Amino acid sequence: MRIGWIGTGVMGAPMAGHLLAAGHDVRVHTRTRARAEEVLEQGAVWADAPAEVADGADAVVTMLGYPHDVRDTVLGDGGLLAALEPGAVLVDHTTSEPSLAQEIAAAAAERDVHALDAPVSGGDVGARNGKLVIMIGGEQEPFERVRPLLEAYGGNVALMGGPGAGQHTKMVNQIAISSGMVALCEALLYAHRSGLDVQAVLELIGGGAAGSFSLSNYGPRLLRGDLEPGFKIDHFIKDLGIALAEARRMNLFLPGLALAEQLYVSARAQDLGQKGTQALLVALASMSGVKLPDASG
Amino acid sequence: MRIGWIGTGVMGAPMAGHLLAAGHDVRVHTRTRARAEEVLEQGAVWADAPAEVADGADAVVTMLGYPHDVRDTVLGDGGLLAALEPGAVLVDHTTSEPSLAQEIAAAAAERDVHALDAPVSGGDVGARNGKLVIMIGGEQEPFERVRPLLEAYGGNVALMGGPGAGQHTKMVNQIAISSGMVALCEALLYAHRSGLDVQAVLELIGGGAAGSFSLSNYGPRLLRGDLEPGFKIDHFIKDLGIALAEARRMNLFLPGLALAEQLYVSARAQDLGQKGTQALLVALASMSGVKLPDASG
């Protein structure tokens, strides 16, 4: 297939790489050309603008930063939608607003283009291993058409409902992770301050009712002071902001989410925005005057 | 060994049953004799008072409700401590205050008796299957002496430090569970309100970074409206109250724990105290005016 690709950051580059490895014809654009070098070396062709990526493509895939990037790239002047041919499929992997996904799907339908919102989880490791979870909102027919593409880097690719359902599913995921990380960090702080052997405690309780992916994966990293991102706090704050706005719109009272978002804002205020989400521990510790012996800020 | 046992509720009865099955000599007392019938039928001998249970015992085990029950039974007039013989070991499985565990250990040492705080996790299912996690605070020597007893119903029996360390470890466990349940319930509410297929969402995200014991075990129960206790909200509120008091004493800022405790108080105020901890969902849903189709209140 002829594929256009926009966005070659830490996630987008290895994802596009899987498509090239599978033999697809990929034209690529990204804001900073130097970040596209890796995929250009793998055989992608450079395009100077989004509209040029769209020209003649069967599908265009975007993996951007913020909702306003998606809006500009898809709906803006010289954007993708005006340049896509009828029947083409637009796939947005950016974690973005469900309402924007619905707006794009409606605008696309008017031009006989199909839009799928398709945020992912699994981080850079999942992107490299081709094991991402991909949560899709949109129509069945275009989904089936691009499914083989998505399975080049997706371990679990699921259509969750109509336009916006992919973004809503991602919000559910982020809501669960946010309070789950609060749970882990507070448990670690209590264990540390009460003088316990924190590693022994994690090993004992991790196999029982307190067990979680966060505890098993971020607990050991935190114990060795590893704050490097899997997923950056700056990006998580964007996601939690979207979730809070959607919850407010739906009249949903989610106090755990609201608290987690505020704690992450405090972490960012403490210069941890470029660290991984597990660095919440450092911010919470500072609020109790706890010095973490191993944490390399 | 000659063992005294006090407390034959939903946890204590099957635990004492494992000791009887292993051939130990068990004398039993509990506040309401009818609740001891099961273990009496299995061969335990009734005792009319705590002091009578202690008389001649190598070890006395308690599994009670609240810290004040532990204080009365161990330190009170006609309590265990005054009746225990030198060298005997006192094991308290009640989830109780770390400071009370330390007070009891000190009082016991003065009489040449050994006290271990030994709260458990794993619920009634773990008690029946003999697979409880037992978190112990106290000295090594008496721990080694009673370890074979504890292994009659414990799948993972660990000495975590000196007096109080078992209770502190249990608090870490409950802190992690409390915000973890908030995470699950808020994720479910968002999924429901945004019109997603909640079961499909749980299956998709449960295998990734949002995964947890709570999601895997309580998610499906909540989807079929099962609010029956594994562990009752009334008891969880007791545990969270102890954790908050200890955190305050240690100058620890744990806002997720504080929020979870308040939400559980609201659940109790909505007549859910005798339901399982997963019934937090019902209380949270009511705060957003969400009617849960499957939940049997």
Side-chain angles (χ1 to χ4, degrees):
Chain A
M1 286 175 87
R2 290 165 304 171
I3 303 163
W5 191 283
I6 303 183
T8 50
V10 67
M11 299 288 292
M15 291 162 76
H18 284 289
L19 292 182
L20 288 161
H24 294 288
D25 196 7
V26 179
R27 223 173 329 164
V28 68
H29 175 76
T30 198
R31 213 156 31 189
T32 311
R33 177 166 174 159
R35 301 202 67 178
E37 282 306 327
E38 184 184 332
V39 292
L40 294 173
E41 280 166 24
Q42 292 171 277
V45 173
W46 177 254
D48 281 321
E52 202 178 309
V53 161
D55 188 34
D58 301 305
V60 172
V61 186
T62 50
M63 183 55 163
L64 305 169
Y66 291 83
H68 65 83
D69 298 320
V70 175
R71 179 177 291 281
D72 290 352
T73 303
V74 176
L75 301 173
D77 285 345
L80 288 172
L81 201 54
L84 278 165
E85 292 176 17
V89 184
L90 185 62
V91 179
D92 181 25
H93 287 311
T94 316
T95 295
S96 174
E97 296 157 357
S99 55
L100 178 58
Q102 289 159 357
E103 181 184 343
I104 288 173
E110 284 184 16
R111 296 185 48 85
D112 202 20
V113 166
H114 307 280
L116 303 173
D117 51 298
V120 305
S121 82
D124 51 340
V125 176
R128 283 195 299 274
N129 298 346
K131 295 288 181 202
L132 292 169
V133 174
I134 310 184
M135 309 160 226
I136 296 168
E139 304 304 320
Q140 186 87 36
E141 186 275 328
F143 167 66
E144 295 299 346
R145 248 188 310 138
V146 297
R147 188 204 280 258
L149 299 181
L150 304 181
E151 286 176 345
Y153 44 80
N156 197 343
V157 180
L159 183 66
M160 301 306 293
Q167 298 296 350
H168 276 313
T169 303
K170 181 68 186 278
M171 290 302 120
V172 175
N173 191 68
Q174 303 304 68
I175 290 167
I177 289 174
S178 67
S179 288
M181 191 63 83
V182 172
L184 171 63
C185 291
E186 293 194 358
L188 286 172
L189 272 181
Y190 184 104
H192 174 78
R193 183 85 122 199
S194 60
L196 294 168
D197 176 337
V198 181
Q199 185 162 351
V201 172
L202 285 188
E203 283 168 12
L204 188 67
I205 73 173
S212 69
F213 178 97
S214 291
L215 188 150
S216 302
N217 286 270
Y218 291 112
R221 290 193 211 181
L222 285 166
L223 285 179
R224 57 175 190 265
D226 177 0
L227 304 180
E228 287 314 298
F231 191 63
K232 286 179 185 170
I233 284 177
D234 281 345
H235 296 153
F236 200 43
I237 289 173
K238 173 201 68 163
D239 294 1
L240 299 185
I242 294 170
L244 279 171
E246 288 293 319
R248 187 182 307 115
R249 187 184 62 74
M250 296 189 286
N251 254 344
L252 265 188
F253 171 69
L254 300 181
L257 169 63
L259 174 62
E261 194 261 356
Q262 285 293 292
L263 293 173
Y264 273 107
V265 169
S266 171
R268 186 172 64 184
Q270 294 176 57
D271 292 327
L272 296 162
Q274 293 292 304
K275 299 294 181 184
T277 51
Q278 73 275 23
L280 181 65
L281 178 66
V282 178
L284 263 175
S286 76
M287 296 181 214
S288 290
V290 173
K291 296 236 185 308
L292 297 171
D294 297 324
S296 61
Chain B
M1 285 175 83
R2 290 165 303 171
I3 302 164
W5 191 283
I6 302 182
T8 51
V10 67
M11 299 288 291
M15 291 162 76
H18 283 290
L19 292 183
L20 289 160
H24 295 288
D25 197 5
V26 178
R27 223 173 327 164
V28 68
H29 175 76
T30 198
R31 211 154 36 185
T32 311
R33 179 167 173 161
R35 302 201 67 178
E37 281 308 325
E38 185 185 333
V39 292
L40 294 172
E41 279 166 23
Q42 290 171 277
V45 173
W46 176 255
D48 281 321
E52 202 179 308
V53 161
D55 187 34
D58 300 305
V60 172
V61 185
T62 51
M63 184 55 163
L64 306 168
Y66 291 84
H68 65 83
D69 299 319
V70 175
R71 179 178 291 283
D72 289 353
T73 304
V74 175
L75 301 174
D77 285 345
L80 287 171
L81 200 54
L84 279 165
E85 292 175 17
V89 184
L90 185 63
V91 179
D92 181 26
H93 287 311
T94 316
T95 295
S96 175
E97 297 156 357
S99 55
L100 178 57
Q102 289 158 356
E103 181 184 342
I104 287 172
E110 284 184 13
R111 296 186 46 85
D112 203 18
V113 166
H114 308 281
L116 304 173
D117 51 299
V120 305
S121 82
D124 52 340
V125 175
R128 283 196 299 273
N129 298 345
K131 294 289 181 200
L132 292 169
V133 174
I134 311 184
M135 309 159 227
I136 297 168
E139 304 304 320
Q140 187 87 36
E141 185 277 328
F143 167 65
E144 295 298 347
R145 245 184 316 133
V146 298
R147 188 205 279 257
L149 298 180
L150 304 182
E151 286 175 346
Y153 44 80
N156 197 343
V157 180
L159 183 65
M160 302 304 295
Q167 297 297 350
H168 275 312
T169 302
K170 179 69 186 277
M171 291 301 121
V172 175
N173 191 68
Q174 303 304 69
I175 289 167
I177 288 173
S178 68
S179 289
M181 191 63 82
V182 172
L184 171 63
C185 291
E186 294 194 358
L188 286 172
L189 271 181
Y190 184 103
H192 174 76
R193 184 83 123 198
S194 61
L196 295 168
D197 176 336
V198 181
Q199 185 162 349
V201 173
L202 285 188
E203 283 166 13
L204 188 67
I205 72 173
S212 69
F213 178 97
S214 291
L215 188 152
S216 303
N217 285 270
Y218 290 113
R221 290 193 210 182
L222 285 166
L223 285 180
R224 58 176 188 262
D226 177 1
L227 304 180
E228 288 314 299
F231 190 63
K232 287 178 185 170
I233 284 177
D234 281 346
H235 296 152
F236 200 43
I237 290 174
K238 172 200 70 164
D239 294 2
L240 299 185
I242 295 170
L244 278 171
E246 288 293 320
R248 189 181 307 116
R249 186 184 62 73
M250 296 190 287
N251 253 345
L252 264 189
F253 171 67
L254 299 181
L257 169 62
L259 174 62
E261 194 260 357
Q262 286 293 291
L263 293 173
Y264 272 107
V265 169
S266 170
R268 186 172 65 185
Q270 295 178 57
D271 293 327
L272 295 163
Q274 293 292 305
K275 299 293 181 185
T277 50
Q278 73 275 23
L280 180 66
L281 178 67
V282 178
L284 263 175
S286 77
M287 295 182 215
S288 291
V290 174
K291 299 239 183 307
L292 297 171
D294 297 322
S296 60

